[in-house]
Amino acid sequence: MTKLLFATNNPHKLGEIRSMLGSRFTVLSLQDIGFSGEIPEDRPTLEENASKKAFFLFRRCGCDCFADDTGLEVEALDGEPGFFPPGMPEKEKMPMTIRQNFCKKWLK
């Protein structure tokens, strides 16, 4: 059976992928391969960060790998509040003014 590494330790994401792929693949998590390090996420888009994570792990462990990256982008608010790079300190990811504007627009 083909093994695929999913660059996550999120049990819910892992369960969803495993149920979608069924028995065709063995989907491994970072925990399954004993990886507990940090994966660099310094790219400006969600897609680039996901790609970087997958290539980073492929080079590190040599197995087929895929990754995702998520952010809060609300279509009804023209993509706001948007993507915030993970390297940014938590309090700066969504400053108060952005949170307030988001709530005002959401509650309209």
Side-chain angles (χ1 to χ4, degrees), residues 13 41 43 45-50 53 67-71 83 86:
K13 287 183 181 181
E41 293 183 71
R43 299 294 185 230
T45 67
L46 300 171
E47 293 85 359
E48 289 174 298
N49 272 330
K53 286 192 278 187
D68 76 328
D69 203 7
T70 57
F83 169 67

Side-chain angles (χ1 to χ4, degrees), residues 53-105:
K53 286 192 278 187
F55 281 107
F56 174 87
L57 288 164
F58 176 77
R59 285 189 297 273
R60 186 149 183 152
C61 71
C63 61
D64 293 330
C65 179
F66 67 98
D68 76 328
D69 203 7
T70 57
L72 179 62
E73 296 177 349
V74 181
E75 186 176 333
L77 298 176
D78 297 321
E80 289 185 28
F83 169 67
F84 298 94
M88 190 183 291
E90 190 65 37
K91 66 182 178 185
E92 294 177 15
K93 284 185 181 179
M94 194 177 222
M96 182 59 75
T97 54
I98 293 173
R99 288 194 299 268
Q100 288 171 339
N101 288 338
F102 178 77
C103 289
K104 283 178 189 175
K105 289 179 182 180

Side-chain angles (χ1 to χ4, degrees), residues 2-83:
T2 302
K3 291 183 180 181
L4 294 173
L5 172 60
F6 182 18
T8 190
N9 277 319
N10 182 317
H12 300 291
K13 287 183 181 181
L14 191 61
E16 288 177 3
I17 293 295
R18 284 177 173 161
S19 69
M20 283 190 277
L21 296 178
S23 61
R24 295 177 291 173
F25 300 93
T26 299
V27 180
L28 305 172
S29 69
L30 296 174
Q31 184 177 5
D32 291 332
I33 65 163
F35 182 85
S36 61
E38 289 294 317
I39 301 173
E41 293 183 71
D42 54 5
R43 299 294 185 230
T45 67
L46 300 171
E47 293 85 359
E48 289 174 298
N49 272 330
S51 180
K52 184 171 183 177
K53 286 192 278 187
F55 281 107
F56 174 87
L57 288 164
F58 176 77
R59 285 189 297 273
R60 186 149 183 152
C61 71
C63 61
D64 293 330
C65 179
F66 67 98
D68 76 328
D69 203 7
T70 57
L72 179 62
E73 296 177 349
V74 181
E75 186 176 333
L77 298 176
D78 297 321
E80 289 185 28
F83 169 67

